[in-house]
Amino acid sequence: MSSETKIKSLRAAVVYGGATCQMDQLFNVTIVKSMISAVIKVMLIRASRERYTMAAKYANNSAIQNFIEYLKIPSVQPDVNYDECVNFLKKQAASLALPIKVYEVVPHKPIVVLKWEGIEPKLPSILLNSHMDVVPVFEKSWTYPPFSGHIDEDGKIFARGSQDMKCVGMQYLEAIRKLKQRGVQLQRTVYICFVPDEEIGGHDGMKKFVHTSDFKALNVGFALDEGMASPNEEFIIFNGERSIWQIHVHCPGRPGHGSLLLPDTAGEKLRYVINKFMDLIEQQKKILDSDSKLTIGDVTTVNLTQIYGGVQSNVIPEKLTVVFDIRLAVTVDHNKFESMIKQWCKEAGDGVTYEFEQFNEKVECTKTDNTNPYWVAFKSAVDNLNLKLDRRIFPGGTDSRYVRQVGIPAIGFSPMNNTPVLLHDHDEFLEADVFLRGIDIYEKIIAAVANA
């Protein structure tokens, strides 16, 4: 228990103790209060020292200070200005004596790439990818300002992006710094890539970049990207992702006055469509609940996210639209699934159609067996570190899907265990010691895969 927690308990004891003394008249309340007040003063001093000691502990740690400097850049969606991030990364590249290039497939959407050339640069390279942008914040719900990089008395670093995923980008750089300081030379060239707009789908970032001649010139053989925190001892790795389908189903119908009972209305058709999707949701819940080994990434999820249409409350609308966010499990046959949706629309009534807001094609998972030499090297490194791995399918979407789509194997991994999952949440934090250990882990992994 921290000193501040103990102080709160003592203050509560003053109130309770005072009331008890007054009722029983067994103690001198004034003396009791004075004694507890004195204790509180001592503990306040101790708490202040704890905060100072923790801040001082990391004050001269350049890796922590670089991380905090990066976290302080408010690269928050929407409409991010990436200039500060680019300037920061240019400074990091200079400190590492690494060349840096900034690509703009889309204006004002920079893709920053640092290069550590290997002994055999003709070999397929290693890509270490991370994104610069972060999601919005509700500042009033944060204990500390979300772009402060505040370190509390427990060594927790609070900031948006501390888990998702500025931590990983900095761990790459700091691991390479340590390797270079030890005079290590790697066989393969390593590219450290910082991309924009991942938090809004990566459409103007990695999705377009992988199809450019600049990306092809990197000759990437294997990529690492983000994972997520693990609340237990295991480290989670992701070798695949579900396909994202966001569908608008349009239901036209006969309009009229709200007082009538008309056939073939938009509302009737809408109800049929919604019921079909809701039945699918219940089916997938049962599958997930039936096997404790399954995680959310192993099933198809469907969520109704929007309904729109109509003009006013007493007019039967001529069209209503419902929107579903669907994440297809990697085992789903896409053609069969879309045929099922077509059939539901046909059954709902005349004129019911659908269109995609987002459509991800099926992408094969990265192999995690002896046929993948990069995986063998990765697994060997983590085994030597005695790390326990939990392999999963990523529940959301990352830039790894675009890399895998062009035939490059990719693993999602963020070295954060015994850490609550706080990506996109209030009070996102990462313990400083967890961050530092992650650098050591990446140091071994990067060396292993780059020498595979």
Side-chain angles (χ1 to χ4, degrees):
M1 184 185 295
S2 68
S3 296
E4 291 184 349
T5 304
K6 292 176 182 176
I7 291 166
K8 291 178 181 177
S9 298
L10 277 169
R11 281 175 171 154
V14 172
V15 177
Y16 174 79
T20 303
C21 292
Q22 187 175 15
M23 287 188 295
D24 296 344
Q25 297 181 351
L26 296 175
F27 300 99
N28 186 316
V29 177
T30 303
I31 293 174
V32 172
K33 285 186 175 180
S34 297
M35 291 174 63
I36 294 178
S37 295
V39 173
I40 288 174
K41 286 180 181 178
V42 171
M43 295 186 73
L44 280 170
I45 294 171
R46 185 176 297 173
S48 178
R49 287 175 178 170
E50 285 177 3
R51 287 193 295 270
Y52 173 78
T53 302
M54 192 56 65
K57 178 181 178 181
Y58 300 110
N60 296 320
N61 187 305
S62 59
I64 293 292
Q65 295 308 310
N66 285 336
F67 182 34
I68 291 174
E69 184 178 351
Y70 192 24
L71 291 172
K72 286 182 176 180
I73 300 172
S75 51
V76 59
Q77 291 289 355
D79 301 323
V80 184
N81 183 332
Y82 289 103
D83 290 351
E84 282 191 73
C85 288
V86 173
N87 290 335
F88 170 79
L89 293 170
K90 285 180 177 178
K91 184 172 70 173
Q92 294 301 310
S95 72
L96 289 162
L98 295 178
I100 184 172
K101 281 189 176 182
V102 181
Y103 305 94
E104 283 198 2
V105 184
V106 176
H108 310 298
K109 306 286 186 179
I111 296 165
V112 183
V113 181
L114 289 73
K115 178 182 179 181
W116 186 17
E117 188 167 66
I119 297 171
E120 299 184 54
K122 291 184 179 180
L123 288 174
S125 66
I126 305 300
L127 181 72
L128 307 178
N129 188 58
S130 67
H131 60 84
M132 298 178 284
D133 59 322
V134 299
V135 296
V137 297
F138 300 94
E139 191 160 353
K140 291 182 179 178
S141 298
W142 284 64
T143 303
Y144 306 103
F147 297 101
S148 64
H150 176 87
I151 305 180
D152 74 358
E153 65 271 18
D154 297 318
K156 298 172 182 174
I157 304 174
F158 287 82
R160 176 61 86 222
S162 56
Q163 288 190 17
D164 183 16
M165 67 169 300
K166 289 183 175 180
C167 54
V168 172
M170 290 310 303
Q171 285 167 330
Y172 293 153
L173 295 181
E174 296 302 332
I176 288 171
R177 193 185 309 277
K178 293 181 74 171
L179 288 167
K180 286 173 65 70
Q181 287 172 347
R182 290 197 291 111
V184 172
Q185 290 184 296
L186 304 178
Q187 294 298 113
R188 299 173 187 272
T189 295
V190 175
Y191 291 102
I192 312 94
C193 183
F194 296 81
V195 296
D197 285 15
E198 190 276 345
E199 293 293 4
I200 55 173
H203 305 293
D204 290 339
M206 186 60 82
K207 184 177 182 179
K208 287 186 171 71
F209 186 47
V210 295
H211 297 290
T212 65
S213 57
D214 288 322
F215 181 84
K216 292 172 184 176
L218 302 182
N219 189 27
V220 177
F222 176 69
L224 289 172
D225 206 324
E226 67 181 315
M228 66 170 59
S230 169
N232 54 41
E233 187 65 26
E234 294 178 318
F235 291 83
I236 306 173
I237 67 107
F238 300 94
N239 70 318
E241 296 182 10
R242 299 181 298 174
S243 301
I244 303 173
W245 284 14
Q246 291 168 339
I247 294 180
H248 294 237
V249 182
H250 304 294
C251 301
R254 181 177 172 181
H257 196 281
S259 65
L260 303 176
L261 287 174
L262 299 177
D264 197 38
T265 63
E268 290 175 316
K269 296 174 182 178
L270 185 79
R271 181 185 68 170
Y272 187 90
V273 170
I274 289 175
N275 285 346
K276 286 296 185 180
F277 278 98
M278 290 300 177
D279 289 344
L280 178 59
I281 293 172
E282 291 305 311
Q283 177 195 77
Q284 294 299 306
K285 285 180 179 178
K286 288 178 181 178
I287 293 172
L288 184 60
D289 293 340
S290 68
D291 188 344
S292 60
K293 294 181 181 179
L294 295 177
T295 67
I296 193 68
D298 296 315
V299 297
T300 295
T301 55
V302 181
N303 282 290
L304 194 166
T305 55
Q306 289 177 283
I307 296 176
Y308 59 89
V311 290
Q312 64 184 48
S313 57
N314 65 344
V315 177
I316 300 172
E318 65 175 1
K319 186 174 80 168
L320 291 171
T321 297
V322 59
V323 183
F324 294 97
D325 185 300
I326 306 169
R327 310 296 170 107
L328 294 172
V330 296
T331 54
V332 170
D333 183 311
H334 286 201
N335 291 329
K336 288 183 179 179
F337 194 88
E338 187 172 3
S339 293
M340 180 177 67
I341 294 173
K342 287 180 180 178
Q343 182 61 29
W344 290 348
C345 290
K346 182 179 179 181
E347 294 168 356
D350 291 340
V352 176
T353 60
Y354 67 91
E355 63 176 329
F356 286 99
E357 178 182 328
Q358 185 172 179
F359 175 84
N360 287 175
E361 296 178 357
K362 193 178 183 72
V363 177
E364 293 300 318
C365 296
T366 295
K367 294 185 182 301
T368 52
D369 57 28
N370 290 337
T371 65
N372 181 354
Y374 301 104
W375 166 254
V376 172
F378 181 100
K379 185 67 164 56
S380 176
V382 298
D383 285 347
N384 289 336
L385 291 166
N386 295 315
L387 306 185
K388 297 178 181 178
L389 293 183
D390 180 7
R391 181 174 59 82
R392 298 184 187 180
I393 299 299
F394 200 85
T398 74
D399 283 331
S400 290
R401 66 189 187 274
Y402 304 126
V403 175
R404 294 190 189 102
Q405 196 170 30
V406 294
I408 299 170
I411 293 291
F413 175 66
S414 295
M416 302 180 287
N417 69 336
N418 296 317
T419 299
V421 180
L422 294 170
L423 68 168
H424 299 194
D425 205 345
H426 306 314
D427 277 348
E428 181 182 349
F429 74 80
L430 182 63
E431 289 186 16
D433 288 342
V434 172
F435 171 77
L436 293 173
R437 188 189 180 204
I439 295 171
D440 296 334
I441 292 171
Y442 268 126
E443 184 182 356
K444 303 299 183 185
I445 289 174
I446 292 169
V449 297
N451 287 326

